[in-house]
Amino acid sequence: MVGEKVFQGIGVSSGTALGRIFLREVVDLTFKNVKISQEQIAGEIERFQQAVERVTEALKYERSKVFEDLGQEEAEIWTVQLMLLEDPEIFDAVMTSIKQDLKSAEAAVNDVFAGQVQLFEDLDDDYMRGRAIDLENLRKRLLMQLLGKEEKQTEIPSDSILVYLELTPTDVGAIDKNKVVGVIAEKGGTTSHAAILLRSIGIPAVFGISDFYQKVKNGTGVAMDGKTGAVILNPLPETKNIYRAQMVKERKQKIELEKLVTLPSVTKDGQKIELFANIGSLAEARAADVNGAEGIGLFRTEFIFLGRKELPSEETQFKIYRQVAQLMGQRQVIIRTLDIGGDKKPDYIDIPPECNPFLGYRAIRLCLKEQEIFESQLRAILRASTYGRLSIMYPFVISVEEVREANRILEQVKVQLEQEKIPFDKEIPVGVMIETPAASLLVEDFFQIVDFVSVGTNDLAQYTLAVDRMNAGIAHLYNYFHPAVLRQLQLIGQAGVKANKLVGICGEMASDPLAVKLLLGLGFNELSVNPSSLSLVKSLIRETTLAEAKKIAGQALSLPSAAAVKEFLTSVTS
Ligand code: PEP
Ligand code: MG
């Protein structure tokens, strides 16, 4: 009998799965590289143009399918590919290669696209590397057309775990959820588009196991854990039992938690806690709605800006904000203004190279300088505000002056809209994110001029501890249970209670079951969490009293280290 073999990758979409390997076919795209004659030029150009037309048609069809299943934001990935395919520079380069270098359509496509892929892969930027995947996908699809190699639609057996060298968003769009229980790929990271889509459709996935494709055969049994990144080939009966038990547990938890969806989020002693969701797209707003979100506590609008080649227009933004507003109806939707910069840099916004991008030109700093971008976003939000209950939230502030300046621009935009007789919510609430130690120390001052605050613990922990949240090498030092973070949260919570205003948390800490009671005890009255965590967080809110939560917070604050706090919270969380 063949023994088990354990591989460790990166868990990019959580959930446990047991199934059998199904290798996604690697199509042979080799071709003879011979020079064409002058007479063949016209024919090769026509072949290239036809291939572009067919791939364009296929991409448009897939885009409409994804739009229906997942929503507009996810469909943007196909829009990007269509734009790349229509890019005149790339198109002309292929034409020149056929006409002047006398290359066949295959050779010209291959060389030009491979060159572009290389160019993007070499860039030190996750977003740009994402474009390399898009271009590689286009190279393969065009070559398949030219070589007459349609991807074979082999019947995929039930309980398949698909294995790829590298997965494209198009591949995810084609996955049959009834048959596929998991995905494994050699390449790719947590923030790749493919990973985001896999999480959206809820298929467990592990990326980053090198040489995996070569080592496995179709039909081999496999157990995988999309949370820990563990993959076990030929699992022994006892391993299978462990995974089966875990799957049953996950299913039961899901069923139990689903029962809570329509129940209100109140503590055992009747204290209302606003349980909101974090979203980055309309599709996520739908997930938030289905999972019982009482509002949106953070709409990360930068995702609208990132999946594009050029600045989204006011009209494009307006439509997206309007759709989210309409979907949520009378539930509050907090739209965060553009938080670009740091690790999120679209190439159409000019951000000079920086030694410390996370301490640099980002978020509100950029918006106050690039006022046209800011104004167009504010106009879009205000115009959408009559379709629901919108609020505006400024990210990454460090001073009261910044908020005053942002509000001054907001007032100007309101005046313009009034002059244009465009309706908007004149009382639209305005809040700030507390993401820097400077902001948390000034929280009382902020409460004087804003309607609410929401703590971005992801950044607050990073800036308080001087620990880069993206650096895996020092990840052990990154911890929002650190006493220095907790003491700031205490300050913010107390200020919120004193001001009698909405005081929330929208960083990942709010989705952490260990942190929920502690945060209630510190005075927070709004938690904004991942749509998939809503029910779990609600169950914790509903099982505690405020007195109990305050006691937990008091004890946690007296502890000397993050480790001690975590150990204590583990002991008091069911
Ligand atoms: C945060 O910093 O906690 C936050 C919610 O913002 P982001 O994760 O988008 O930086
Ligand atoms: Mg942040």
Side-chain angles (χ1 to χ4, degrees):
M1 189 170 148
V2 197
E4 302 195 317
K5 207 158 180 210
V6 182
F7 295 83
Q8 185 62 49
I10 312 166
V12 299
S13 177
S14 65
T16 316
L18 269 175
R20 301 207 161 266
I21 295 282
F22 189 87
L23 291 165
R24 292 308 290 152
E25 197 188 358
V26 181
V27 189
D28 179 10
L29 294 176
T30 49
F31 54 90
K32 275 204 188 118
N33 200 353
V34 279
K35 271 210 164 171
I36 57 168
S37 63
Q38 288 290 342
E39 293 72 46
Q40 288 173 306
I41 291 177
E44 290 303 288
I45 286 178
E46 198 179 328
R47 286 182 65 232
F48 167 58
Q49 285 170 334
Q50 276 173 1
V52 171
E53 263 169 41
R54 285 199 203 108
V55 174
T56 304
E57 260 169 45
L59 286 170
K60 281 187 179 159
Y61 170 71
E62 287 159 15
R63 180 173 62 177
S64 65
K65 216 170 122 263
V66 173
F67 182 84
E68 270 172 34
D69 292 350
L70 290 170
Q72 177 166 340
E73 283 309 295
E74 275 68 15
E76 280 302 325
I77 295 163
W78 277 260
T79 306
V80 171
Q81 294 203 12
L82 281 162
M83 285 191 308
L84 287 170
L85 194 56
E86 283 161 10
D87 186 321
E89 260 180 57
I90 300 179
F91 190 89
D92 289 350
V94 176
M95 297 290 264
T96 311
S97 186
I98 297 173
K99 284 187 220 157
Q100 289 177 10
D101 307 336
L102 299 178
K103 285 188 182 170
S104 65
E106 286 88 341
V109 162
N110 188 56
D111 294 358
V112 170
F113 278 81
Q116 290 286 327
V117 170
Q118 190 63 49
L119 217 82
F120 280 89
E121 264 179 354
D122 289 345
L123 296 174
D124 187 19
D125 180 311
D126 269 359
Y127 174 73
M128 291 302 177
R129 280 197 295 270
R131 298 293 70 73
I133 296 175
D134 290 333
L135 284 157
E136 176 59 10
N137 186 36
L138 292 176
R139 183 187 73 86
K140 284 187 191 150
R141 295 188 78 155
L142 287 169
L143 281 180
M144 278 193 320
Q145 285 294 337
L146 289 164
L147 296 166
K149 294 195 178 180
E150 291 294 332
E151 215 171 347
K152 277 196 206 125
Q153 288 304 320
T154 348
E155 187 64 24
I156 295 179
S158 297
D159 293 334
S160 284
I161 293 189
L162 304 181
V163 178
Y164 297 80
L165 288 172
E166 186 164 17
L167 187 67
T168 66
T170 321
D171 296 327
V172 183
I175 286 177
D176 179 350
K177 282 186 274 177
N178 298 319
K179 300 212 168 139
V180 176
V181 294
V183 162
I184 300 169
E186 287 193 6
K187 290 189 189 168
T190 322
T191 53
S192 65
H193 277 141
I196 293 168
L197 284 176
L198 284 164
R199 284 197 288 275
S200 297
I201 59 174
I203 292 195
V206 173
F207 286 4
I209 307 183
S210 33
D211 299 331
F212 191 73
Y213 196 96
Q214 298 298 332
K215 288 181 190 147
V216 294
K217 286 202 179 76
N218 268 340
T220 309
V222 59
M224 62 179 284
D225 185 337
K227 192 166 181 192
T228 63
V231 170
I232 303 171
L233 278 189
N234 301 310
L236 294 170
E238 48 271 38
T239 309
K240 279 194 193 167
N241 284 341
I242 296 171
Y243 273 74
R244 255 184 224 121
Q246 179 61 23
M247 281 160 68
V248 171
K249 203 170 142 198
E250 283 168 10
R251 217 167 295 144
K252 271 193 188 151
Q253 268 173 353
K254 208 169 159 230
I255 293 169
E256 273 312 302
L257 291 173
E258 273 166 6
K259 291 183 191 159
L260 294 177
V261 166
T262 52
L263 296 181
S265 146
V266 281
T267 59
K268 219 167 158 187
D269 52 347
Q271 182 72 35
K272 177 81 189 97
I273 303 297
E274 304 297 338
L275 182 56
F276 290 178
N278 294 346
I279 61 162
S281 65
L282 178 61
E284 281 177 351
R286 287 202 189 102
D289 180 39
V290 168
N291 286 296
E294 295 170 341
I296 300 298
L298 168 66
F299 183 174
R300 288 183 165 99
T301 57
E302 58 275 13
F303 288 115
I304 300 168
F305 287 69
L306 286 174
R308 292 168 195 272
K309 249 182 128 185
E310 56 194 25
L311 210 57
S313 65
E314 178 191 317
E315 195 56 25
T316 303
Q317 291 187 65
F318 161 67
K319 283 183 184 151
I320 297 171
Y321 305 148
R322 185 186 60 189
Q323 288 183 80
V324 175
Q326 284 172 326
L327 175 75
M328 297 306 287
Q330 269 321 294
R331 290 170 288 178
Q332 188 173 2
V333 175
I334 301 178
I335 304 192
R336 172 169 82 179
T337 55
L338 189 56
D339 184 4
I340 222 93
D343 62 331
K344 297 175 267 193
K345 294 183 178 174
D347 52 357
Y348 52 78
I349 297 182
D350 187 27
I351 302 177
E354 299 172 298
C355 289
N356 293 306
F358 274 96
L359 301 180
Y361 188 47
R362 64 173 284 205
I364 195 73
R365 299 173 184 179
L366 188 143
C367 285
L368 292 181
K369 191 120 187 274
E370 307 271 350
Q371 287 196 11
E372 270 175 34
I373 297 177
F374 193 41
E375 280 169 17
S376 114
Q377 181 170 41
L378 292 174
R379 276 181 68 95
I381 298 173
L382 285 171
R383 283 174 56 200
S385 66
T386 55
Y387 294 87
R389 212 181 123 207
L390 301 187
S391 301
I392 295 172
M393 178 162 71
Y394 305 132
F396 199 56
V397 296
I398 57 165
S399 70
V400 167
E401 289 75 35
E402 280 171 335
V403 181
R404 289 222 159 92
E405 176 61 4
N407 276 343
R408 191 188 59 75
I409 299 170
L410 177 64
E411 288 312 311
Q412 269 179 10
V413 172
K414 284 184 180 176
V415 171
Q416 276 169 18
L417 289 176
E418 259 171 12
Q419 284 167 354
E420 293 167 37
K421 303 210 178 337
I422 297 175
F424 63 91
D425 175 5
K426 296 198 174 67
E427 304 301 322
I428 192 164
V430 173
V432 289
M433 284 192 78
I434 306 283
E435 302 182 275
T436 60
S440 63
L441 289 168
L442 293 176
V443 66
E444 292 211 14
D445 304 45
F446 285 121
F447 267 125
Q448 304 280 327
I449 55 168
V450 297
D451 301 301
F452 64 91
V453 311
S454 184
V455 187
T457 46
N458 307 339
D459 274 324
L460 186 62
Q462 144 164 284
Y463 294 118
T464 300
L465 306 174
V467 176
D468 182 346
R469 70 193 244 201
M470 317 268 284
N471 186 339
I474 49 169
H476 60 288
L477 296 174
Y478 180 89
N479 198 324
Y480 40 65
F481 292 125
H482 191 291
V485 178
L486 293 196
R487 286 180 207 179
Q488 290 177 75
L489 293 179
Q490 181 188 26
L491 208 74
I492 301 163
Q494 280 171 352
V497 174
K498 196 169 142 198
N500 196 21
K501 289 183 175 173
L502 195 72
V503 56
I505 303 265
C506 60
E508 287 302 300
M509 187 178 188
S511 305
D512 183 341
L514 289 184
V516 173
K517 294 180 186 177
L518 162 73
L519 296 173
L520 302 189
L522 289 171
F524 291 93
N525 53 24
E526 180 236 332
L527 300 182
S528 190
V529 306
N530 306 320
S532 56
S533 302
L534 280 161
S535 291
L536 180 58
V537 172
K538 192 188 283 179
S539 72
L540 291 161
I541 293 172
R542 288 177 62 88
E543 73 177 31
T544 194
T545 62
L546 219 50
E548 223 181 301
K550 279 186 186 157
K551 202 166 146 210
I552 290 172
Q555 276 179 270
L557 281 164
S558 70
L559 295 169
S561 68
V565 172
K566 206 165 169 190
E567 198 185 319
F568 163 67
L569 292 173
T570 309
S571 74
V572 295
T573 309
S574 52

